[in-house]
Amino acid sequence: MADIDALAGYDRFKFTHDGRTREVFRKGSGPAVIIMHEIPGLHPQVVDYADRVAAAGMSVYLPSLFGAPGRKVTIPYALGEMFMNICIRREFHVWAGQGSSPIVDWLRALARKAHAECGGPGVGALGMCFTGGFALAMMTEPAVVAPVLSQPSLPLGKKGKASIDSSPAEIACAKRRFEDEDLSLLGLRFKGDDFVPDERFAFLKETFGDRFEDITLAAEDGAPGTGRPPHSVLTIHLRNSGPTKDAEARTVSFFRERLGLA
């Protein structure tokens, strides 16, 4: 069941693009940051992170892409969403060679809307886990100027280790924009996380060079929680102090810098 209190302080609206409608939750004021939740859905710890971004002077937009908004994380809930819902939906591409997911086009349209509503130099975009690479693919939308990939887990499988779920054209666009507009990309993960192999971050570093800021945390830095080794940098395995809290602070400062607040 959904936890109504988790999103009680948020306005909600339906956003439709290209015939697809989803619910979006919004809070705060200032330039916009779109936060895309991890599996199994828009759970309370994702909302907690969004609360802190909003408190730092930004408008957060939380699209509900799958799962029940506000529902707490359990292993059965996560497995059910992964294998009975997400992997069979045509909106999501999970394997190597498929490029970005079709849902990214809807997210780009949401970024345009958020920028029009909130102003500023552009929009921040943060993806987590299953949605991690979406923030990079969104760079073909000119409004997106601050992409953050937290534990980007796609594509799945051995063939996709040294890649990210973005098409060659999307990667080329991001690379060009990073140079032309003096932008950059932030990536976070735990060392030893099988869902975010070393090869993936090596690929990002090779592709984007110094424009890619790599924040790789030691496994022992993560808080105990669902899964071993730790996976969810900004939510489930976030500690109240130490390297994970520093990593969270860096994402907030990154958004503030790129969105003209620093």
Side-chain angles (χ1 to χ4, degrees):
M1 297 296 292
D3 181 355
I4 298 174
D5 291 339
L7 290 156
Y10 285 74
D11 297 324
R12 62 184 68 190
F13 63 92
K14 300 281 189 180
F15 178 63
T16 300
H17 172 71
D18 197 23
R20 297 185 182 276
T21 300
R22 294 177 181 83
E23 192 167 31
V24 182
F25 297 82
R26 178 183 172 177
K27 181 179 184 178
S29 59
V33 175
I34 297 172
I35 298 172
M36 294 161 280
H37 59 78
E38 59 198 351
I39 292 172
L42 186 51
H43 63 77
Q45 286 157 298
V46 175
V47 179
D48 287 344
Y49 171 73
D51 286 345
R52 292 188 283 274
V53 175
M58 289 162 275
S59 300
V60 292
Y61 286 69
L62 303 179
S64 181
L65 305 178
F66 42 82
R71 182 175 174 178
K72 295 179 180 178
V73 177
T74 65
I75 292 177
Y77 173 35
L79 292 176
E81 282 298 315
M82 181 66 184
F83 296 109
M84 301 300 292
N85 187 0
I86 299 168
C87 286
I88 63 173
R89 285 169 57 179
R90 294 181 179 178
E91 296 167 293
F92 302 102
H93 289 165
V94 302
W95 303 110
Q98 293 183 304
S100 64
S101 293
I103 199 172
V104 172
D105 188 54
W106 183 92
L107 290 164
R108 293 183 187 113
L110 179 62
R112 290 193 292 273
K113 173 181 172 63
H115 189 210
E117 292 177 345
C118 299
V123 174
L126 182 145
M128 303 177 178
C129 179
F130 198 86
T131 68
F134 292 4
L136 177 60
M138 289 172 68
M139 287 297 295
T140 58
E141 166 50 51
V144 178
V145 297
V148 178
L149 282 59
S150 187
Q151 76 268 13
S153 301
L154 297 183
L156 300 176
K158 292 182 179 180
K159 292 182 179 180
K161 282 187 174 183
S163 64
I164 195 76
D165 55 332
S166 297
S167 69
E170 289 164 340
I171 291 172
C173 177
K175 190 173 183 178
R176 182 174 61 252
R177 288 192 62 202
F178 289 163
E179 294 299 327
D180 292 349
E181 301 173 39
D182 193 22
L183 303 176
S184 59
L185 171 70
L186 187 64
L188 307 94
R189 66 164 184 149
F190 285 106
K191 184 73 173 178
D193 181 356
D194 290 338
F195 288 105
V196 195
D198 293 344
E199 293 90 339
R200 181 159 300 144
F201 269 39
F203 166 78
L204 292 170
K205 187 66 175 178
E206 180 181 358
T207 302
F208 299 111
D210 292 340
R211 298 290 178 174
F212 173 57
E213 184 177 343
D214 177 354
I215 299 179
T216 295
L217 305 170
E220 55 266 27
D221 293 333
T226 305
R228 286 295 182 196
H231 173 67
S232 299
V233 178
L234 300 172
T235 59
I236 296 170
H237 298 111
L238 175 73
R239 291 184 182 271
N240 291 328
S241 62
T244 57
K245 199 65 177 175
D246 293 342
E248 179 196 67
R250 176 58 188 135
T251 66
V252 175
S253 67
F254 178 76
F255 288 137
R256 287 181 56 83
E257 291 163 9
R258 292 299 181 199
L259 301 181
L261 297 176

